[in-house]
């Protein structure tokens, strides 16, 4: 059903957007939303992020490389969120 898949895609998109705003309530990380959304596919944000977990609270460097997250401030925001939320 096309409507159901569109609804599911919208829900997944909103979940990703909500997470990015949780990490950075200023919205600076929203620039990465299109690339993250494309890679995330139908997985939940938690499932998607788990694929990049090196150890509890640590993310593989490939996460930043895969999504061209080059700004040090953006990397630090994400690293802090992982450290504080995924132990």
């Amino acid at each position: 059903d096309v409507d159901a898949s569109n609804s599911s895609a919208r829900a997944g998109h909103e979940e990703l957007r909500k997470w990015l705003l949780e990490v950075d309530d200023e919205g600076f990380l929203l620039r990465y939303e299109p690339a993250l959304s494309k890679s995330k596919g139908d997985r939940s944000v938690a499932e998607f992020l788990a694929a990049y977990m090196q150890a509890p609270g640590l993310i593989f460097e490939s996460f930043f490389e895969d999504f061209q997250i080059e700004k040090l401030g953006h990397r630090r925001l994400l690293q802090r969120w992982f450290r504080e939320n995924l132990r």
Side-chain angles (χ1 to χ4, degrees):
D1 179 318
V2 173
D3 288 336
S5 71
N6 284 343
S7 177
S8 176
R10 276 192 305 276
H13 178 76
E14 283 304 312
E15 180 193 21
L16 179 61
R17 184 177 191 78
K18 182 179 175 184
W19 173 71
L20 287 168
L21 288 169
E22 178 184 329
V23 175
D24 167 42
D25 61 2
E26 297 287 327
F28 293 115
L29 298 179
L30 292 175
R31 67 180 7 183
Y32 307 110
E33 186 177 9
L36 289 166
S37 183
K38 184 176 180 181
S39 182
K40 181 179 90 55
D42 292 337
R43 296 177 289 177
S44 71
V45 169
E47 291 170 327
F48 171 66
L49 296 177
Y52 284 97
M53 292 299 298
Q54 181 173 335
L58 295 175
I59 189 165
F60 280 113
E61 184 67 22
S62 61
F63 179 82
F64 303 113
E65 294 166 0
D66 289 354
F67 303 108
Q68 291 85 44
I69 302 172
E70 297 173 353
K71 291 185 179 255
L72 184 58
H74 295 178
R75 286 176 175 234
R76 286 188 175 154
L77 284 168
L78 288 157
Q79 288 167 332
R80 183 177 63 215
W81 187 90
F82 277 91
R83 229 181 6 260
E84 294 174 356
N85 295 280
L86 297 179
R87 298 177 189 206

